[in-house]
Amino acid sequence: MIDCTEAYGYSRQLMEQLAGAPVKPLLNVGAIGLKSEAIDWDKLENWVKTLEEQEGTSYYLEQALSAMMIADTDAAVLKAGDYIVNPGPDQIKNKTGILHHYVDLSKEGYFKQAWKHFL
């Protein structure tokens, strides 16, 4: 998914150095599909070790690693207007799009309004 802001928790420079390719901007892993057989687990563990040693721990580690894993791939991107990260009050009220990924301040809208649409 396309994120509303870039949230990788690590510097782009270090991520791209480790990945060996430019990292795609604004990746959000609220909806992501990966081929598990293509994951190089040893490389992934090395990336975690290096990222944390050089720049500390981050809540966004999973998102950073996912961005690094798909850096050199031809990834399919979901349409931002249909798959909405951090929907605003009007998007929640009007049921805009196909999927809402409630993060940050939009969680309030989920807990107060959106869940009622499923009853």
Side-chain angles (χ1 to χ4, degrees), residues 37-70:
E37 67 275 5
I39 298 173
D40 182 338
W41 293 101
D42 291 330
K43 181 167 56 174
L44 201 65
E45 287 186 23
N46 183 54
W47 285 350
V48 171
K49 182 178 185 289
T50 304
L51 287 167
E52 291 185 344
E53 283 177 352
Q54 292 191 25
E55 298 185 358
T57 60
S58 173
Y59 172 80
Y60 299 106
L61 176 63
E62 173 195 8
Q63 200 144 274
L65 293 172
S66 298
M68 292 165 67
M69 282 192 294
I70 67 166

mmCIF file of all heavy atoms in Angstrom, residues 37-70:
data_model
loop_
_atom_site.group_PDB
_atom_site.id
_atom_site.type_symbol
_atom_site.label_atom_id
_atom_site.label_comp_id
_atom_site.label_asym_id
_atom_site.label_seq_id
_atom_site.Cartn_x
_atom_site.Cartn_y
_atom_site.Cartn_z
ATOM 1 N N GLU A 37 9.098 -18.270 -0.251
ATOM 2 C CA GLU A 37 10.254 -19.060 -0.706
ATOM 3 C C GLU A 37 11.363 -18.180 -1.268
ATOM 4 O O GLU A 37 12.510 -18.627 -1.403
ATOM 5 C CB GLU A 37 9.836 -20.124 -1.734
ATOM 6 C CG GLU A 37 9.343 -19.578 -3.066
ATOM 7 C CD GLU A 37 7.863 -19.212 -3.089
ATOM 8 O OE1 GLU A 37 7.186 -19.288 -2.053
ATOM 9 O OE2 GLU A 37 7.394 -18.840 -4.183
ATOM 10 N N ALA A 38 11.063 -16.938 -1.575
ATOM 11 C CA ALA A 38 12.069 -16.030 -2.125
ATOM 12 C C ALA A 38 12.782 -15.208 -1.039
ATOM 13 O O ALA A 38 13.715 -14.472 -1.339
ATOM 14 C CB ALA A 38 11.417 -15.087 -3.140
ATOM 15 N N ILE A 39 12.354 -15.342 0.209
ATOM 16 C CA ILE A 39 12.961 -14.560 1.293
ATOM 17 C C ILE A 39 14.289 -15.180 1.701
ATOM 18 O O ILE A 39 14.366 -16.365 2.028
ATOM 19 C CB ILE A 39 12.016 -14.465 2.508
ATOM 20 C CG1 ILE A 39 10.726 -13.733 2.122
ATOM 21 C CG2 ILE A 39 12.711 -13.762 3.679
ATOM 22 C CD1 ILE A 39 9.649 -13.731 3.186
ATOM 23 N N ASP A 40 15.316 -14.383 1.669
ATOM 24 C CA ASP A 40 16.647 -14.803 2.123
ATOM 25 C C ASP A 40 16.737 -14.461 3.612
ATOM 26 O O ASP A 40 17.077 -13.339 3.985
ATOM 27 C CB ASP A 40 17.730 -14.068 1.319
ATOM 28 C CG ASP A 40 19.139 -14.483 1.684
ATOM 29 O OD1 ASP A 40 19.340 -15.013 2.797
ATOM 30 O OD2 ASP A 40 20.041 -14.263 0.860
ATOM 31 N N TRP A 41 16.429 -15.432 4.452
ATOM 32 C CA TRP A 41 16.336 -15.197 5.891
ATOM 33 C C TRP A 41 17.664 -14.796 6.517
ATOM 34 O O TRP A 41 17.693 -13.980 7.438
ATOM 35 C CB TRP A 41 15.743 -16.424 6.579
ATOM 36 C CG TRP A 41 14.319 -16.629 6.183
ATOM 37 C CD1 TRP A 41 13.828 -17.514 5.276
ATOM 38 C CD2 TRP A 41 13.186 -15.886 6.635
ATOM 39 N NE1 TRP A 41 12.461 -17.381 5.143
ATOM 40 C CE2 TRP A 41 12.044 -16.390 5.971
ATOM 41 C CE3 TRP A 41 13.014 -14.845 7.549
ATOM 42 C CZ2 TRP A 41 10.768 -15.894 6.182
ATOM 43 C CZ3 TRP A 41 11.743 -14.352 7.774
ATOM 44 C CH2 TRP A 41 10.633 -14.870 7.094
ATOM 45 N N ASP A 42 18.758 -15.361 6.012
ATOM 46 C CA ASP A 42 20.077 -14.989 6.539
ATOM 47 C C ASP A 42 20.369 -13.514 6.260
ATOM 48 O O ASP A 42 20.864 -12.793 7.127
ATOM 49 C CB ASP A 42 21.179 -15.871 5.945
ATOM 50 C CG ASP A 42 21.102 -17.310 6.430
ATOM 51 O OD1 ASP A 42 20.631 -17.528 7.564
ATOM 52 O OD2 ASP A 42 21.510 -18.217 5.672
ATOM 53 N N LYS A 43 20.052 -13.060 5.041
ATOM 54 C CA LYS A 43 20.266 -11.663 4.681
ATOM 55 C C LYS A 43 19.363 -10.768 5.540
ATOM 56 O O LYS A 43 19.796 -9.725 6.032
ATOM 57 C CB LYS A 43 19.983 -11.437 3.191
ATOM 58 C CG LYS A 43 20.200 -10.008 2.739
ATOM 59 C CD LYS A 43 20.221 -9.820 1.234
ATOM 60 C CE LYS A 43 19.016 -10.305 0.526
ATOM 61 N NZ LYS A 43 19.023 -9.971 -0.923
ATOM 62 N N LEU A 44 18.132 -11.190 5.730
ATOM 63 C CA LEU A 44 17.181 -10.422 6.531
ATOM 64 C C LEU A 44 17.690 -10.263 7.976
ATOM 65 O O LEU A 44 17.645 -9.172 8.539
ATOM 66 C CB LEU A 44 15.833 -11.138 6.512
ATOM 67 C CG LEU A 44 14.592 -10.350 6.844
ATOM 68 C CD1 LEU A 44 14.342 -9.270 5.815
ATOM 69 C CD2 LEU A 44 13.393 -11.270 6.931
ATOM 70 N N GLU A 45 18.181 -11.334 8.554
ATOM 71 C CA GLU A 45 18.713 -11.264 9.920
ATOM 72 C C GLU A 45 19.944 -10.362 9.990
ATOM 73 O O GLU A 45 20.136 -9.631 10.964
ATOM 74 C CB GLU A 45 19.021 -12.665 10.445
ATOM 75 C CG GLU A 45 17.762 -13.443 10.770
ATOM 76 C CD GLU A 45 18.033 -14.775 11.434
ATOM 77 O OE1 GLU A 45 19.099 -14.953 12.043
ATOM 78 O OE2 GLU A 45 17.139 -15.643 11.355
ATOM 79 N N ASN A 46 20.771 -10.397 8.959
ATOM 80 C CA ASN A 46 21.938 -9.517 8.913
ATOM 81 C C ASN A 46 21.507 -8.059 8.811
ATOM 82 O O ASN A 46 22.101 -7.184 9.449
ATOM 83 C CB ASN A 46 22.847 -9.892 7.739
ATOM 84 C CG ASN A 46 24.103 -9.055 7.710
ATOM 85 O OD1 ASN A 46 24.834 -8.983 8.691
ATOM 86 N ND2 ASN A 46 24.347 -8.394 6.588
ATOM 87 N N TRP A 47 20.490 -7.793 8.031
ATOM 88 C CA TRP A 47 19.980 -6.428 7.914
ATOM 89 C C TRP A 47 19.489 -5.921 9.273
ATOM 90 O O TRP A 47 19.780 -4.787 9.655
ATOM 91 C CB TRP A 47 18.833 -6.359 6.916
ATOM 92 C CG TRP A 47 19.231 -6.448 5.478
ATOM 93 C CD1 TRP A 47 20.492 -6.387 4.950
ATOM 94 C CD2 TRP A 47 18.344 -6.607 4.372
ATOM 95 N NE1 TRP A 47 20.444 -6.499 3.584
ATOM 96 C CE2 TRP A 47 19.134 -6.640 3.202
ATOM 97 C CE3 TRP A 47 16.970 -6.740 4.247
ATOM 98 C CZ2 TRP A 47 18.589 -6.782 1.933
ATOM 99 C CZ3 TRP A 47 16.422 -6.889 2.986
ATOM 100 C CH2 TRP A 47 17.219 -6.905 1.842
ATOM 101 N N VAL A 48 18.735 -6.768 9.984
ATOM 102 C CA VAL A 48 18.226 -6.368 11.303
ATOM 103 C C VAL A 48 19.395 -6.029 12.226
ATOM 104 O O VAL A 48 19.404 -4.985 12.888
ATOM 105 C CB VAL A 48 17.362 -7.482 11.940
ATOM 106 C CG1 VAL A 48 17.019 -7.143 13.384
ATOM 107 C CG2 VAL A 48 16.097 -7.723 11.128
ATOM 108 N N LYS A 49 20.374 -6.903 12.255
ATOM 109 C CA LYS A 49 21.539 -6.699 13.118
ATOM 110 C C LYS A 49 22.232 -5.383 12.784
ATOM 111 O O LYS A 49 22.528 -4.567 13.671
ATOM 112 C CB LYS A 49 22.509 -7.866 12.951
ATOM 113 C CG LYS A 49 23.745 -7.810 13.822
ATOM 114 C CD LYS A 49 24.589 -9.080 13.584
ATOM 115 C CE LYS A 49 25.776 -9.165 14.503
ATOM 116 N NZ LYS A 49 26.819 -8.228 14.237
ATOM 117 N N THR A 50 22.458 -5.141 11.513
ATOM 118 C CA THR A 50 23.162 -3.931 11.084
ATOM 119 C C THR A 50 22.338 -2.674 11.343
ATOM 120 O O THR A 50 22.853 -1.680 11.851
ATOM 121 C CB THR A 50 23.542 -4.027 9.596
ATOM 122 O OG1 THR A 50 24.319 -5.216 9.391
ATOM 123 C CG2 THR A 50 24.345 -2.824 9.146
ATOM 124 N N LEU A 51 21.065 -2.709 10.996
ATOM 125 C CA LEU A 51 20.192 -1.551 11.230
ATOM 126 C C LEU A 51 20.180 -1.177 12.713
ATOM 127 O O LEU A 51 20.345 -0.013 13.071
ATOM 128 C CB LEU A 51 18.762 -1.845 10.763
ATOM 129 C CG LEU A 51 18.517 -1.888 9.255
ATOM 130 C CD1 LEU A 51 17.150 -2.507 8.956
ATOM 131 C CD2 LEU A 51 18.635 -0.517 8.639
ATOM 132 N N GLU A 52 19.991 -2.181 13.560
ATOM 133 C CA GLU A 52 19.894 -1.901 14.994
ATOM 134 C C GLU A 52 21.229 -1.491 15.599
ATOM 135 O O GLU A 52 21.265 -0.642 16.484
ATOM 136 C CB GLU A 52 19.279 -3.095 15.719
ATOM 137 C CG GLU A 52 17.807 -3.254 15.360
ATOM 138 C CD GLU A 52 17.084 -4.345 16.131
ATOM 139 O OE1 GLU A 52 17.756 -5.218 16.741
ATOM 140 O OE2 GLU A 52 15.837 -4.327 16.123
ATOM 141 N N GLU A 53 22.307 -2.075 15.131
ATOM 142 C CA GLU A 53 23.622 -1.674 15.630
ATOM 143 C C GLU A 53 23.954 -0.236 15.248
ATOM 144 O O GLU A 53 24.512 0.509 16.046
ATOM 145 C CB GLU A 53 24.719 -2.607 15.091
ATOM 146 C CG GLU A 53 24.791 -3.945 15.767
ATOM 147 C CD GLU A 53 25.835 -4.868 15.155
ATOM 148 O OE1 GLU A 53 26.424 -4.535 14.100
ATOM 149 O OE2 GLU A 53 26.053 -5.941 15.736
ATOM 150 N N GLN A 54 23.605 0.138 14.023
ATOM 151 C CA GLN A 54 23.995 1.458 13.539
ATOM 152 C C GLN A 54 23.011 2.567 13.884
ATOM 153 O O GLN A 54 23.412 3.718 14.067
ATOM 154 C CB GLN A 54 24.239 1.417 12.026
ATOM 155 C CG GLN A 54 25.456 0.597 11.673
ATOM 156 C CD GLN A 54 25.863 0.750 10.225
ATOM 157 O OE1 GLN A 54 25.570 1.751 9.572
ATOM 158 N NE2 GLN A 54 26.559 -0.246 9.701
ATOM 159 N N GLU A 55 21.696 2.228 13.949
ATOM 160 C CA GLU A 55 20.706 3.299 14.147
ATOM 161 C C GLU A 55 19.677 2.996 15.227
ATOM 162 O O GLU A 55 18.713 3.741 15.381
ATOM 163 C CB GLU A 55 20.023 3.624 12.813
ATOM 164 C CG GLU A 55 21.012 4.147 11.778
ATOM 165 C CD GLU A 55 20.363 4.607 10.483
ATOM 166 O OE1 GLU A 55 19.123 4.502 10.328
ATOM 167 O OE2 GLU A 55 21.112 5.087 9.608
ATOM 168 N N GLY A 56 19.863 1.919 15.984
ATOM 169 C CA GLY A 56 18.966 1.605 17.087
ATOM 170 C C GLY A 56 17.735 0.824 16.662
ATOM 171 O O GLY A 56 17.561 0.469 15.508
ATOM 172 N N THR A 57 16.871 0.573 17.636
ATOM 173 C CA THR A 57 15.644 -0.166 17.355
ATOM 174 C C THR A 57 14.570 0.798 16.841
ATOM 175 O O THR A 57 14.637 1.994 17.075
ATOM 176 C CB THR A 57 15.122 -0.888 18.622
ATOM 177 O OG1 THR A 57 14.867 0.087 19.624
ATOM 178 C CG2 THR A 57 16.127 -1.903 19.125
ATOM 179 N N SER A 58 13.589 0.240 16.144
ATOM 180 C CA SER A 58 12.509 1.060 15.611
ATOM 181 C C SER A 58 11.210 0.269 15.571
ATOM 182 O O SER A 58 11.193 -0.909 15.197
ATOM 183 C CB SER A 58 12.837 1.548 14.196
ATOM 184 O OG SER A 58 11.716 2.206 13.626
ATOM 185 N N TYR A 59 10.134 0.937 15.914
ATOM 186 C CA TYR A 59 8.785 0.377 15.790
ATOM 187 C C TYR A 59 8.506 -0.015 14.337
ATOM 188 O O TYR A 59 7.722 -0.922 14.069
ATOM 189 C CB TYR A 59 7.790 1.443 16.271
ATOM 190 C CG TYR A 59 6.348 1.119 16.038
ATOM 191 C CD1 TYR A 59 5.655 0.266 16.888
ATOM 192 C CD2 TYR A 59 5.650 1.679 14.960
ATOM 193 C CE1 TYR A 59 4.317 -0.033 16.689
ATOM 194 C CE2 TYR A 59 4.313 1.390 14.754
ATOM 195 C CZ TYR A 59 3.656 0.535 15.614
ATOM 196 O OH TYR A 59 2.327 0.243 15.403
ATOM 197 N N TYR A 60 9.143 0.669 13.398
ATOM 198 C CA TYR A 60 8.879 0.468 11.972
ATOM 199 C C TYR A 60 9.821 -0.543 11.310
ATOM 200 O O TYR A 60 9.926 -0.588 10.087
ATOM 201 C CB TYR A 60 8.977 1.809 11.230
ATOM 202 C CG TYR A 60 7.965 2.810 11.716
ATOM 203 C CD1 TYR A 60 8.347 3.880 12.506
ATOM 204 C CD2 TYR A 60 6.623 2.680 11.400
ATOM 205 C CE1 TYR A 60 7.425 4.806 12.966
ATOM 206 C CE2 TYR A 60 5.684 3.588 11.854
ATOM 207 C CZ TYR A 60 6.090 4.651 12.637
ATOM 208 O OH TYR A 60 5.167 5.552 13.092
ATOM 209 N N LEU A 61 10.492 -1.376 12.089
ATOM 210 C CA LEU A 61 11.456 -2.332 11.535
ATOM 211 C C LEU A 61 10.834 -3.196 10.444
ATOM 212 O O LEU A 61 11.416 -3.371 9.379
ATOM 213 C CB LEU A 61 12.033 -3.212 12.652
ATOM 214 C CG LEU A 61 12.989 -4.322 12.197
ATOM 215 C CD1 LEU A 61 14.231 -3.729 11.546
ATOM 216 C CD2 LEU A 61 13.365 -5.204 13.376
ATOM 217 N N GLU A 62 9.649 -3.747 10.686
ATOM 218 C CA GLU A 62 8.993 -4.602 9.694
ATOM 219 C C GLU A 62 8.781 -3.859 8.371
ATOM 220 O O GLU A 62 8.994 -4.418 7.292
ATOM 221 C CB GLU A 62 7.649 -5.082 10.236
ATOM 222 C CG GLU A 62 6.811 -5.835 9.216
ATOM 223 C CD GLU A 62 5.364 -5.999 9.633
ATOM 224 O OE1 GLU A 62 4.936 -5.411 10.646
ATOM 225 O OE2 GLU A 62 4.656 -6.716 8.907
ATOM 226 N N GLN A 63 8.378 -2.616 8.472
ATOM 227 C CA GLN A 63 8.130 -1.824 7.271
ATOM 228 C C GLN A 63 9.440 -1.543 6.522
ATOM 229 O O GLN A 63 9.497 -1.612 5.301
ATOM 230 C CB GLN A 63 7.424 -0.521 7.660
ATOM 231 C CG GLN A 63 6.715 0.135 6.521
ATOM 232 C CD GLN A 63 5.434 0.781 6.964
ATOM 233 O OE1 GLN A 63 4.402 0.123 7.012
ATOM 234 N NE2 GLN A 63 5.467 2.053 7.260
ATOM 235 N N ALA A 64 10.499 -1.242 7.271
ATOM 236 C CA ALA A 64 11.804 -1.004 6.658
ATOM 237 C C ALA A 64 12.304 -2.261 5.957
ATOM 238 O O ALA A 64 12.757 -2.208 4.803
ATOM 239 C CB ALA A 64 12.813 -0.552 7.716
ATOM 240 N N LEU A 65 12.225 -3.393 6.634
ATOM 241 C CA LEU A 65 12.694 -4.649 6.040
ATOM 242 C C LEU A 65 11.902 -5.006 4.788
ATOM 243 O O LEU A 65 12.467 -5.458 3.790
ATOM 244 C CB LEU A 65 12.606 -5.785 7.058
ATOM 245 C CG LEU A 65 13.542 -5.680 8.256
ATOM 246 C CD1 LEU A 65 13.211 -6.761 9.283
ATOM 247 C CD2 LEU A 65 15.005 -5.759 7.825
ATOM 248 N N SER A 66 10.600 -4.792 4.830
ATOM 249 C CA SER A 66 9.766 -5.083 3.656
ATOM 250 C C SER A 66 10.155 -4.193 2.487
ATOM 251 O O SER A 66 10.258 -4.656 1.348
ATOM 252 C CB SER A 66 8.287 -4.895 3.998
ATOM 253 O OG SER A 66 7.895 -5.799 5.004
ATOM 254 N N ALA A 67 10.386 -2.916 2.762
ATOM 255 C CA ALA A 67 10.817 -1.988 1.706
ATOM 256 C C ALA A 67 12.156 -2.424 1.123
ATOM 257 O O ALA A 67 12.373 -2.333 -0.089
ATOM 258 C CB ALA A 67 10.907 -0.570 2.259
ATOM 259 N N MET A 68 13.040 -2.901 1.972
ATOM 260 C CA MET A 68 14.351 -3.366 1.499
ATOM 261 C C MET A 68 14.213 -4.648 0.678
ATOM 262 O O MET A 68 14.872 -4.809 -0.342
ATOM 263 C CB MET A 68 15.273 -3.575 2.699
ATOM 264 C CG MET A 68 15.643 -2.270 3.401
ATOM 265 S SD MET A 68 16.354 -2.497 5.040
ATOM 266 C CE MET A 68 17.909 -3.278 4.643
ATOM 267 N N MET A 69 13.334 -5.560 1.105
ATOM 268 C CA MET A 69 13.164 -6.829 0.388
ATOM 269 C C MET A 69 12.628 -6.625 -1.024
ATOM 270 O O MET A 69 12.974 -7.372 -1.931
ATOM 271 C CB MET A 69 12.221 -7.762 1.154
ATOM 272 C CG MET A 69 12.872 -8.445 2.319
ATOM 273 S SD MET A 69 11.873 -9.793 3.001
ATOM 274 C CE MET A 69 10.462 -8.923 3.649
ATOM 275 N N ILE A 70 11.768 -5.627 -1.199
ATOM 276 C CA ILE A 70 11.177 -5.432 -2.530
ATOM 277 C C ILE A 70 11.868 -4.313 -3.312
ATOM 278 O O ILE A 70 11.405 -3.945 -4.388
ATOM 279 C CB ILE A 70 9.660 -5.181 -2.454
ATOM 280 C CG1 ILE A 70 9.336 -3.846 -1.788
ATOM 281 C CG2 ILE A 70 8.953 -6.338 -1.764
ATOM 282 C CD1 ILE A 70 7.903 -3.408 -1.978
#
